């Protein structure tokens, strides 16, 4: 009886209407992503307003680290998505043994991965910042911030893996609640360290680490106490090699796919850094605004992966195709609304980070250029999420390397040297994302995963 109860304590993605459940799943994920971004946004806003003469340099220091932080987080969030798919497939098959093994293996993976990242990061981060052409006056601040941030990687990764575990059963509100608590704490600590203790980027970095300790701890306690198939039992906390291989088979390509964006953005950030402190500050402020709209459309991609994963596990292949169609339609509507709201309030939002008119003008230019590419991003993310739900991660990863990383690196190395302007850099976003969307769209049409797996099942 206990097993049946734990299996039923989840969103039913396999039966009944889909459109409303996709929204119920996606919106808390979007809110969680936005709240996560507010960690960094509050860092920039506070150092940009309360660090006196060092405000522009401090904002630039935090912003210069955004691609590095994105690289680390995107890579491991992609691997966490592998855990999400493995658990979702097992739920569809009602395989509780695999669910338990995947949950416990995921927790161990996150902590070990975080420790490794911390050690390697501390060893090589100085050289990486030099490669990024961080200006001399910004470099000491940027190095101080990222060294402190790296110390928190074990708990930051633990939170993201815990969130993936909850999302595999359709529970997206619990990670949001945990992050809301730690988000409020983060802002309060930022204000205390910077205003009261007169710290700069070191204060906001410490606040970010401490708040992530709280969010990961809250989710861990919840996983221990929850009456669900994803419950953590201390006696079962061991590493399962077969489950690990399955998670890596799906998660590693997904992590590489996500990290490719960050790698390409590091190249772009290097070009931005060469244009001076004002441009760095403007681009950083705009990034922390545009990412809110990104979190909206990315949440439907995650819904597409999880819903597809469960229905694929249950053998409901026609329903998988319906998931993709609904996710694209609902995502397009939600993304259009998010972009509209950001654009009409864009200049005001930019002024919160930095009131310099030049920073606001350059930042708003970035918003316009980036949003022009969001239709391609939305399509690309959902199609990739659909393929991942079937356990197909390598194909979208390879195409992303070609369409995103390849195009952006080629652009920065060939076009930018001849046209050294901020607009010239930003133009690469719509070009690279449209190419990637077309490539992955062609792959879905050729691969036809639902049809292919249906034929495979019929022949068995």
């Amino acid at each position: 009886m206990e097993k049946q109860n734990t299996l039923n304590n989840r969103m039913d993605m396999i039966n009944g209407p889909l459109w409303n459940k996709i929204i119920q799943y996606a919106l808390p994920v979007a809110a969680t992503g936005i709240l996560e971004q507010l960690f960094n946004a509050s860092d920039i806003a506070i150092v940009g307003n309360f660090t006196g003469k060092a405000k522009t340099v401090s904002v630039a220091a935090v912003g210069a680290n955004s691609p590095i932080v994105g690289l680390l987080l995107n890579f491991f969030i992609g691997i966490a998505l592998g855990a999400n798919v493995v658990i979702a497939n097992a739920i569809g098959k009602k395989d509780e043994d695999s669910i338990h093994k995947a949950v416990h293996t995921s927790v161990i993976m996150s902590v070990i991965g975080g420790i490794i990242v911390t050690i390697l990061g501390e060893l090589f981060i100085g050289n990486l910042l030099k490669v990024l052409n961080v200006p001399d006056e910004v470099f000491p601040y940027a190095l101080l911030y990222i060294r402190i941030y790296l110390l928190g990687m074990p708990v930051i990764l633990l939170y993201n893996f815990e969130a993936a575990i909850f999302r595999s059963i359709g529970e997206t509100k619990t990670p949001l609640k945990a992050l809301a608590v730690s988000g409020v704490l983060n802002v309060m600590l930022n204000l205390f360290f910077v205003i009261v203790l007169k710290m700069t980027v070191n204060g906001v970095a410490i606040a970010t680490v401490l708040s992530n300790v709280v969010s990961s701890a809250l989710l861990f306690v919840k996983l221990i106490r929850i009456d669900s198939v994803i419950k953590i039992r201390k006696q079962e906390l061991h590493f399962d090699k077969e489950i690990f291989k399955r998670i890596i088979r799906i998660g590693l390509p997904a992590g590489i796919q996500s990290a490719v964006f960050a790698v390409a953005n590091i190249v772009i950030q290097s070009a931005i850094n060469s244009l001076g402190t004002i441009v760095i500050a403007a681009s950083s402020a705009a990034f922390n605004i545009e990412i809110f709209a990104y979190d909206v459309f990315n949440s439907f991609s995650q819904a597409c992966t999880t819903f597809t994963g469960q229905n694929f596990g249950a053998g409901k292949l026609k329903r998988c195709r319906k998931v993709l169609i609904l996710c694209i339609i609902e995502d397009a509507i939600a993304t259009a609304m998010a972009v509209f709201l950001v654009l009409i309030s864009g200049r005001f939002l930019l002024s919160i980070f930095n009131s310099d008119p030049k920073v606001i003008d350059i930042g708003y230019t970035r918003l316009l250029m980036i949003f022009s590419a969001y239709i391609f991003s939305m399509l690309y993310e959902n199609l990739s999420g659909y393929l991942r739900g079937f356990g197909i991660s390598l194909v979208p990863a390879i195409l992303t390397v070609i369409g995103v990383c390849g195009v952006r690196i080629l652009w920065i190395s060939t076009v930018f040297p001849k046209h050294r302007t901020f607009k010239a850099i930003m133009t690469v976003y719509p070009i690279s994302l449209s190419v990637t969307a077309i490539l992955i769209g062609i792959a879905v049409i050729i691969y036809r995963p639902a049809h292919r797996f249906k034929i495979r099942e019929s022949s068995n």
Side-chain angles (χ1 to χ4, degrees):
M1 180 63 69
E2 182 181 351
K3 288 186 177 181
Q4 185 63 35
N5 288 338
T6 57
L7 273 171
N8 287 338
N9 190 12
R10 59 184 175 85
M11 177 185 290
D12 187 356
M13 303 180 187
I14 301 171
N15 302 292
L18 281 169
W19 70 270
N20 57 331
K21 293 177 183 176
I22 290 173
I23 295 174
Q24 291 170 18
Y25 183 103
L27 292 184
V29 174
T32 302
I34 290 170
L35 198 57
E36 282 185 300
Q37 186 55 35
L38 286 175
F39 278 4
N40 194 45
S42 65
D43 292 351
I44 292 178
I46 290 172
V47 297
N49 286 280
F50 299 106
T51 53
K53 294 181 180 179
K55 67 178 183 180
T56 300
V57 174
S58 297
V59 169
V62 178
N65 279 303
S66 294
I68 299 174
V69 172
L71 173 63
L72 296 173
L73 290 182
N74 287 340
F75 179 71
F76 282 97
I77 288 172
I79 295 179
L81 196 57
N84 179 306
V85 173
V86 169
I87 297 171
N89 285 165
I91 289 173
K93 297 175 182 177
K94 299 185 179 180
D95 182 359
E96 287 199 53
D97 183 56
S98 293
I99 298 170
H100 292 152
K101 290 178 179 178
V103 168
H104 293 87
T105 299
S106 297
V107 171
I108 295 172
M109 282 176 62
S110 65
V111 176
I112 294 176
I115 293 172
I116 293 174
V117 171
T118 296
I119 295 172
L120 294 178
E122 295 291 350
L123 289 174
F124 299 109
I125 193 61
N127 291 330
L128 181 56
L129 286 176
K130 290 178 182 178
V131 171
L132 288 176
N133 295 322
V134 176
D136 291 340
E137 70 270 22
V138 177
F139 186 88
Y141 291 87
L143 183 61
L144 178 61
Y145 177 86
I146 194 63
R147 284 199 182 281
I148 297 172
Y149 185 92
L150 284 169
L151 295 175
M153 287 308 296
V155 291
I156 293 172
L157 297 189
L158 177 60
Y159 169 81
N160 283 287
F161 272 77
E162 290 168 334
I165 292 169
F166 277 105
R167 289 167 185 164
S168 67
I169 63 168
E171 176 50 76
T172 56
K173 293 180 181 178
T174 297
L176 173 60
K177 292 175 182 177
L179 204 63
V181 173
S182 63
V184 172
L185 176 64
N186 183 66
V187 174
M188 293 173 62
L189 289 175
N190 277 339
L191 294 171
F192 175 74
F193 288 136
V194 174
I195 297 177
V196 178
L197 299 185
K198 305 301 180 182
M199 300 172 75
T200 58
V201 294
N202 54 339
V204 294
I206 293 170
T208 298
V209 171
L210 292 177
S211 60
N212 275 283
V213 170
V214 172
S215 62
S216 61
L218 288 173
L219 288 190
F220 190 79
V221 171
K222 180 68 174 178
L223 284 170
I224 291 176
R225 296 179 177 178
I226 193 172
D227 179 24
S228 172
V229 72
I230 60 170
K231 179 183 180 68
I232 288 179
R233 296 174 175 84
K234 296 180 181 179
Q235 64 274 18
E236 295 183 24
L237 265 177
H238 67 275
F239 192 81
D240 186 280
K241 291 183 180 179
E242 290 304 316
I243 290 293
F244 172 73
K245 290 178 182 177
R246 289 166 59 186
I247 291 174
I248 289 298
R249 182 175 61 82
I250 299 170
L252 184 58
I256 292 173
Q257 178 179 341
S258 298
V260 158
F261 275 100
V263 170
N265 287 340
I266 286 176
V267 175
I268 292 175
Q269 186 66 46
S270 179
I272 291 172
N273 291 346
S274 70
L275 298 179
T277 301
I278 296 274
V279 175
I280 298 173
S283 182
S284 174
F287 173 81
N288 282 279
I289 297 171
E290 76 201 30
I291 202 69
F292 296 152
Y294 169 83
D295 287 327
V296 172
F297 76 68
N298 181 255
S299 68
F300 285 88
S301 168
Q302 293 189 42
C304 192
T305 295
T306 306
F307 277 76
T308 301
Q310 281 205 20
N311 282 282
F312 173 51
K316 297 192 174 183
L317 301 177
K318 287 185 178 180
R319 194 172 170 88
C320 292
R321 287 193 289 264
K322 188 175 181 181
V323 166
L324 174 62
I325 294 170
L326 286 173
C327 282
I328 290 176
I329 293 173
E330 294 179 12
D331 200 349
I333 296 172
T335 300
M337 293 174 62
V339 167
F340 174 75
L341 290 174
V342 171
L343 285 180
I344 62 173
S345 57
R347 293 186 179 276
F348 167 74
L349 293 174
L350 288 166
S351 69
I352 295 175
F353 294 97
N354 194 304
S355 58
D356 188 328
K358 292 183 179 179
V359 171
I360 294 173
D361 287 341
I362 295 171
Y364 198 77
T365 297
R366 174 177 173 119
L367 291 179
L368 292 173
M369 297 292 287
I370 293 294
F371 287 156
S372 68
Y374 265 26
I375 181 64
F376 305 114
S377 296
M378 184 270 295
L379 289 171
Y380 153 78
E381 292 282 1
N382 279 289
L383 292 172
S384 296
Y386 178 67
L387 290 173
R388 281 193 296 265
F390 287 96
I392 304 168
S393 282
L394 187 57
V395 172
I398 292 173
L399 295 179
T400 300
V401 170
I402 297 171
V404 173
C405 198
V407 171
R408 291 182 184 180
I409 290 175
L410 181 64
W411 182 273
I412 295 300
S413 61
T414 59
V415 177
F416 176 64
K418 299 177 182 178
H419 306 277
R420 295 184 57 81
T421 66
F422 186 64
K423 285 186 178 180
I425 297 175
M426 290 296 102
T427 302
V428 76
Y429 281 97
I431 293 174
S432 61
L433 291 172
S434 62
V435 169
T436 306
I438 292 170
L439 289 174
I440 294 183
I442 293 172
V444 171
I445 293 171
I446 294 175
Y447 208 91
R448 299 178 65 190
H451 179 72
R452 178 171 298 190
F453 282 109
K454 183 177 180 180
I455 294 175
R456 185 178 299 176
E457 288 182 357
S458 298
S459 61
N460 289 338

